[in-house]
Amino acid sequence: MQSATDSFLECNAQGLRQAKELEMNRRNAHRQVMKLVLSVSLWVPCWTALAQAMPLDVLHWWTSAGEQLAVEQLHASLLLSGVRWTDVAVPGGGGMAAVKVLKSRVLMGDPPDVAQLIGTTLTDWNDMGLVMPLNAVANRQRWAPTLFPTVMKLVTYKGVVIAAPLGIHRINTLFYNRHVFTRLGLLPPANWEEFEGVAHKLSAQGIKPLAWSDEAWQIATVFESILLGEVGPERYRELIVNRKSSAWLEPGIEKALTRLRWLRNINGDTPKERAWTDATRDLASESAAMQIMGDWAKGELMAWGANPEKDFGCVAVPGTQQMHLYSVDTLAMLSSKNKRTATQEKLAEVVTSSPTQLAYNRAKGSVPVRADMDVASLDSCARDSWSVFAAPGSARVPSLAHRMAADEATKDAVAQALWRFLITPQMPAKAAQRRLASAVRAP
Ligand code: BGC
């Protein structure tokens, strides 16, 4: 007789084969990403016997190829426990649009059963009484002694567990194209001086040093990594977590802003606002040699068939070695008229279990939230991220651009100030510092 594990692996393999076929079709159909809605119904023949409960509506912004393959891992594991998931996927990197859709659904009295709510947005929604407590699951599954303390702290608010964590992303990641670097005899840069040397050689060969997009959230993602390297974790916390306004007027910030402007102009072309996947595409196609982005870009490159050991590599953004600028993805169960508590609790239990953690994070580019896992089977980027996050001596600091440190309005105001600085070449860095100092409002 087949064991539950055998059925799980068999169903997972079948799901992944279908995901791969769909991915091929998707590419052939001119990369129409949004048409890749890998519906649960495709897997139903395999899972019918296992899945009986009403599906849960899950609102999220994982719509790129890599993100959708990661979501497929969740579908597969959940189906084994009888939980079906209906995708409410809202396109838009960084979740700007998804947060707006969530707001309007709540205002219309029709919240989804589950939502990708992360960082401070979690506590904001919880304060409105919309988030279902998960203490019972957390106790049963022993989250407190099993999850990384930083993660446990992030999902706990006033003693109540308010979300199920999925994975830890590293924001301060510098990707590089291994083929380009090998061909030109380059080494990944460990500091900005080396970065400048590498950029110079790349430009001389007609290769753009850094894949870039002018979208405000992507600018903020690059900036916070530079800032961390420039001022170090203690000062970073003062600026980003404590939001000490006067600290934003100091010389280190001017240096970080000047570096940001320099990076934006390094390719010598006119920067454009475009999806992060388009910038990552530049890296994959060798039209650019590096990219600074959260490691969901690794998941994307892998979904396109690239291999982190052969085709691309990742190192910490210059100056941030042994530092982990994190963003933790979490799912909140929303209270609604649907009364699906048992199924929602099951979802929280399954997504944090070891097999699901491995399968999901492998595809997503992030690393597991559990400290008790063997990560030897993960790729070298993930192992590096994991060991830096786990090491007692490392600095773990929260991402502002990805909602780990401040409310939505503050995050947006900072991103807008940075974007305005970049698109206004005559604006001195000192003027941008004043804007930033007023954008951060101490909590
Ligand atoms: C989320 C990631 C997502 C990325 C790009 C981040 O804010 O945490 O899960 O892949 O945005 O959309």
Side-chain angles (χ1 to χ4, degrees):
M1 212 177 98
Q2 225 182 8
S3 71
T5 313
D6 289 342
S7 326
F8 174 78
L9 293 174
E10 203 174 279
C11 289
N12 241 352
Q14 180 179 328
L16 285 174
R17 271 196 305 277
Q18 284 165 337
K20 275 189 188 141
E21 276 162 29
L22 280 165
E23 172 59 11
M24 292 293 289
N25 294 341
R26 188 187 66 80
R27 282 196 228 167
N28 294 342
H30 305 290
R31 303 198 295 274
Q32 292 174 355
V33 174
M34 283 319 298
K35 292 197 176 159
L36 181 70
V37 179
L38 298 176
S39 145
V40 169
S41 60
L42 283 166
W43 298 18
V44 161
C46 183
W47 298 107
T48 321
L50 298 163
Q52 277 137 18
M54 284 289 288
L56 294 173
D57 248 19
V58 186
L59 189 145
H60 59 83
W61 64 87
W62 296 308
T63 54
S64 77
E67 292 170 336
Q68 291 212 332
L69 283 177
V71 168
E72 279 310 307
Q73 305 304 318
L74 300 180
H75 286 177
S77 301
L78 286 163
L79 276 174
L80 193 65
S81 297
V83 179
R84 283 185 296 146
W85 157 316
T86 303
D87 252 348
V88 185
V90 185
M96 303 292 286
V99 169
K100 288 191 183 111
V101 171
L102 178 63
K103 267 186 198 151
S104 66
R105 279 195 58 172
V106 169
L107 287 174
M108 288 185 309
D110 176 33
D113 302 308
V114 185
Q116 181 188 2
L117 279 182
I118 64 175
T120 52
T121 39
L122 258 177
T123 48
D124 294 347
W125 287 92
N126 184 74
D127 283 343
M128 289 187 264
L130 282 162
V131 176
M132 198 182 105
L134 291 173
N135 290 47
V137 193
N139 289 338
R140 272 200 307 273
Q141 300 303 316
R142 304 183 65 252
W143 285 6
T146 315
L147 305 186
F148 281 113
T150 309
V151 173
M152 196 59 204
K153 201 168 156 215
L154 201 84
V155 295
T156 311
Y157 181 55
K158 298 180 182 164
V160 180
V161 178
I162 55 174
L166 285 173
I168 305 162
H169 278 299
R170 191 176 191 188
I171 305 297
N172 55 323
T173 308
L174 173 73
F175 292 93
Y176 63 97
N177 185 307
R178 287 189 191 268
H179 301 292
V180 174
F181 271 59
T182 307
R183 216 165 46 238
L184 302 184
L186 301 172
L187 289 174
N191 53 48
W192 288 114
E193 207 185 346
E194 286 179 17
F195 187 100
E196 284 178 30
V198 164
H200 187 71
K201 288 187 184 141
L202 288 164
S203 301
Q205 297 298 318
I207 299 170
K208 288 191 272 183
L210 190 68
W212 187 267
S213 163
D214 249 357
E215 271 191 346
W217 75 268
Q218 294 189 60
I219 292 172
T221 301
V222 176
F223 177 73
E224 62 186 18
S225 296
I226 302 175
L227 181 70
L228 177 61
E230 192 56 52
V231 302
E234 287 321 309
R235 307 281 289 138
Y236 177 95
R237 281 199 190 92
E238 194 172 58
L239 293 157
I240 300 281
V241 182
N242 305 335
R243 289 188 253 151
K244 188 175 166 202
S245 207
S246 60
W248 282 88
L249 302 173
E250 290 172 9
I253 318 299
E254 187 177 354
K255 266 182 95 178
L257 285 167
T258 308
R259 170 84 56 210
L260 181 71
R261 183 173 264 168
W262 175 76
L263 281 179
R264 179 183 184 251
N265 294 327
I266 205 170
N267 296 333
D269 55 3
T270 311
K272 291 190 191 66
E273 275 188 39
R274 59 201 184 130
W276 65 270
T277 43
D278 290 344
T280 303
R281 187 65 75 182
D282 278 359
L283 181 78
S285 67
E286 301 189 10
S287 96
M290 296 180 279
Q291 183 181 17
I292 295 175
M293 184 48 67
D295 48 15
W296 47 85
K298 183 188 72 183
E300 193 64 12
L301 288 161
M302 288 167 74
W304 295 342
N307 182 319
E309 319 306 338
K310 291 196 201 125
D311 303 310
F312 67 93
C314 15
V315 288
V317 167
T320 65
Q321 289 80 1
Q322 286 312 307
M323 300 179 202
H324 202 295
L325 179 52
Y326 63 82
S327 172
V328 179
D329 276 320
T330 44
L331 289 175
M333 313 302 138
L334 302 188
S335 319
S336 74
K337 52 183 186 311
N338 295 334
K339 303 258 179 302
R340 306 250 164 82
T341 312
T343 321
Q344 287 164 311
E345 287 192 344
K346 194 74 192 163
L347 184 145
E349 179 188 318
V350 172
V351 299
T352 49
S353 67
S354 302
T356 313
Q357 279 286 301
L358 264 189
Y360 165 84
N361 283 295
R362 229 180 238 140
K364 186 65 170 66
S366 39
V367 294
V369 294
R370 303 174 63 110
D372 64 345
M373 294 192 54
D374 179 3
V375 291
S377 65
L378 296 182
D379 60 77
S380 53
C381 301
R383 289 198 306 273
D384 194 37
S385 166
W386 166 273
S387 54
V388 174
F389 195 85
S394 303
R396 286 166 290 273
V397 293
S399 157
L400 173 76
H402 296 279
R403 304 181 173 80
M404 298 293 117
D407 58 279
E408 197 75 3
T410 308
K411 163 188 85 70
D412 289 344
V414 168
Q416 279 303 310
L418 293 167
W419 174 81
R420 174 75 48 204
F421 167 65
L422 288 190
I423 61 149
T424 318
Q426 65 278 15
M427 186 191 289
K430 285 203 161 47
Q433 284 179 265
R434 285 194 292 277
R435 281 170 187 252
L436 287 164
S438 65
V440 294
R441 295 180 309 267

